[in-house]
Amino acid sequence: YGSSPHSIILGTNGPVIAGASGVPRTCGTSTCITSSAYLLQVDGNGNRVWDIILADTTTNGASYFQSVYENSDHSLVAAGAIQIASNYNVFVAKISSAGAPVWQKRTPPPGSFTTASGTGVVQASDGGYAVSGTAGYLTQAIFIQKFDANGAQQWTKAVDGSYSKGLTIAADGGYVAAGVRNDNSFVYKLSSAGALVWAREIGLNSTYDHEAPEAIATMNGGGFALVGSSYNDINGYGTYTYYNTLAKFDSNGNISSC
């Protein structure tokens, strides 16, 4: 029924792909295809080792994974979204190294927002998990949610922003996420308890009007590397010129090179 990959990691037992797969459902008197959260493990030759579909059989709502992370015990945690009526909740699931479901949780959007999706996930220093994501439609925010090792939500912190993409663990156990604010690259850090430590909105390329961070990573020495793109509509009719962007921040969020 087709599938849509969203991200890939190189796990201990081979590559793991996160995304969505079509699942047949009963829709009244007919059969329809609904997108459902999907993980696929392959070996070094690309052969399937296992796959798993996590579907909402109670509401027939769509779901998908945007990000996957391998834990210290080689199990996996994945984050994305699951449909509730006409909106979405954050969807988080833990899967064993053999591909068996351990637990799955859905959490509501932060504050007064009606929809949200998880876009990044990491294992926290205390054995729990942190998920970054985007909430809202026309008015948006970006956020980090913290879960304990069993998937119980502990806290949520939302900040102004329009797009979240990328999450990493800082050397001190805090969380650093990337996103967009006012069409500029935006990077912010939370403490391990969810308090805002610093936030930086930076236009990395003055030639281009829009920026789209894609990933952030912790570097040796405690700094962070951000990769993404800058782009501009050169004629006002949807003809875009793109420019790849790479930036380095120190542990305090100050940009040192790009």
Side-chain angles (χ1 to χ4, degrees):
Y1 295 99
S3 60
S4 174
H6 291 164
S7 64
I8 185 172
I9 62 169
L10 180 58
T12 301
N13 299 319
V16 180
I17 300 165
S21 182
V23 175
R25 307 282 182 84
T26 299
C27 300
T29 59
S30 61
T31 299
C32 58
I33 306 301
T34 303
S35 172
S36 295
Y38 180 66
L39 288 179
L40 169 66
Q41 169 96 65
V42 298
D43 62 21
N45 295 314
N47 300 308
R48 184 181 69 86
V49 177
W50 56 258
D51 60 357
I52 184 172
I53 292 174
L54 297 177
D56 187 345
T57 58
T58 58
T59 66
N60 282 344
S63 60
Y64 59 87
F65 287 136
Q66 286 271 61
S67 182
V68 61
Y69 185 90
E70 184 178 53
N71 302 316
S72 56
D73 63 357
H74 308 309
S75 64
L76 302 163
V77 61
I82 189 166
Q83 187 178 10
I84 307 296
S86 60
N87 295 307
Y88 281 85
N89 282 189
V90 175
F91 186 40
V92 187
K94 182 177 180 180
I95 299 92
S96 74
S97 60
V102 178
W103 50 255
Q104 50 188 303
K105 307 288 183 178
R106 62 189 190 193
T107 59
S112 60
F113 291 98
T114 58
T115 194
S117 62
T119 57
V121 62
V122 294
Q123 186 175 35
S125 56
D126 63 0
Y129 306 97
V131 174
S132 61
T134 305
Y137 291 110
L138 296 177
T139 300
Q140 294 182 310
I142 55 180
F143 62 86
I144 294 176
Q145 291 184 339
K146 174 66 168 56
F147 301 82
D148 68 17
N150 297 314
Q153 186 180 356
Q154 296 177 303
W155 51 258
T156 298
K157 176 67 175 180
V159 298
D160 290 338
S162 58
Y163 175 74
S164 177
K165 190 76 173 192
L167 175 66
T168 189
I169 294 285
D172 62 2
Y175 311 101
V176 177
V180 174
R181 180 186 281 180
N182 300 320
D183 282 326
N184 293 318
S185 294
F186 179 64
V187 179
Y188 67 102
K189 180 181 179 181
L190 302 185
S191 71
S192 59
L196 183 64
V197 179
W198 49 256
R200 304 285 186 267
E201 178 185 333
I202 301 172
L204 298 175
N205 192 320
S206 60
T207 304
Y208 293 84
D209 295 335
H210 310 280
E211 296 188 0
E214 290 295 331
I216 191 166
T218 302
M219 302 182 65
N220 292 335
F224 308 98
L226 176 71
V227 65
S229 61
S230 303
Y231 60 98
N232 211 8
D233 187 348
I234 60 176
N235 60 11
Y237 294 98
T239 301
Y240 293 97
T241 299
Y242 287 86
Y243 186 89
N244 294 327
T245 300
L246 176 65
K248 179 183 177 182
F249 298 81
D250 65 21
S251 59
N252 295 314
N254 301 307
I255 190 167
S256 56
S257 62
C258 63

